[in-house]
Amino acid sequence: MRWFPPTKFPRGFAAQTLYEENFVIAMLAEHPFGKDPTLDAFCHMQHLVVSLTGDVYGFVDDILAEHGRSRRVALTAPNFMFALMTIAESDLIAALARTFVAMYAPRFDIVSAEAPLPLLRSRIRALASRAALMDAGVAWLFDRLAKSLAVKYV
């Protein structure tokens, strides 16, 4: 099964692109991958994948497959924060959004390293139903996001 990043959303929803993000490899400060951040080491480590659906296959797997490689996924997490908390208590590594890791990883004694192969850039989006946008507060938030980041609705 191939993983595809969402570019179209269900009818009745609006997506606000906030910014484009790239990914780094997050791990405990003393993790062995930090000492040997090679592709071979990356493929042999146990990985955590962030997936709302619990699917263990993600964009990293597509990129690895293009290079004839694979990795060992040991666990999925439903969001980035849960991923950080899990990494802090395990020997797992994960590809996480660079900005998120820079903001929150130090609280968990987590560090990051560049991936040993180029990972894709991803759009970080806010998503709400059009019905929710009828609420003045939600509409205001979407408007503030758009103005502060100078982007348009997708």
Side-chain angles (χ1 to χ4, degrees):
M1 174 195 287
R2 278 185 66 78
W3 176 88
F4 295 98
T7 56
K8 294 186 180 182
F9 299 95
R11 192 170 180 186
F13 281 81
Q16 175 66 52
T17 298
L18 304 178
Y19 58 94
E20 285 200 13
E21 180 69 283
N22 61 354
F23 288 75
V24 293
I25 308 307
M27 73 206 94
L28 282 172
E30 298 299 320
H31 195 281
F33 180 72
K35 296 174 181 67
D36 182 29
T38 63
L39 184 55
D40 283 340
F42 182 76
C43 292
H44 286 96
M45 298 295 159
Q46 291 192 40
H47 294 252
L48 179 147
V49 173
V50 176
S51 169
L52 287 173
T53 63
D55 189 359
V56 299
Y57 194 88
F59 74 90
V60 173
D61 300 290
D62 282 340
I63 296 167
L64 286 169
E66 290 171 5
H67 292 85
R69 306 297 292 267
S70 64
R71 64 180 174 164
R72 300 179 336 175
V73 175
L75 187 66
T76 64
N79 58 58
F80 286 167
M81 188 58 77
F82 191 79
L84 281 182
M85 292 185 297
T86 303
I87 291 168
E89 300 293 330
S90 70
D91 65 347
L92 300 174
I93 64 173
L96 300 177
R98 179 184 299 276
T99 303
F100 181 83
V101 171
M103 288 173 58
Y104 298 107
R107 296 177 184 182
F108 297 96
D109 197 26
I110 292 174
V111 298
S112 65
E114 294 300 321
L117 66 170
L119 299 180
L120 68 88
R121 294 182 62 82
S122 179
R123 288 183 183 170
I124 304 299
R125 297 180 174 111
L127 182 67
S129 69
R130 296 207 186 274
L133 289 174
M134 293 171 66
D135 177 277
V138 175
W140 173 86
L141 178 60
F142 263 53
D143 183 61
R144 297 303 306 157
L145 290 170
K147 286 179 179 172
S148 68
L149 299 167
V151 295
K152 299 177 184 176
Y153 287 103
V154 176

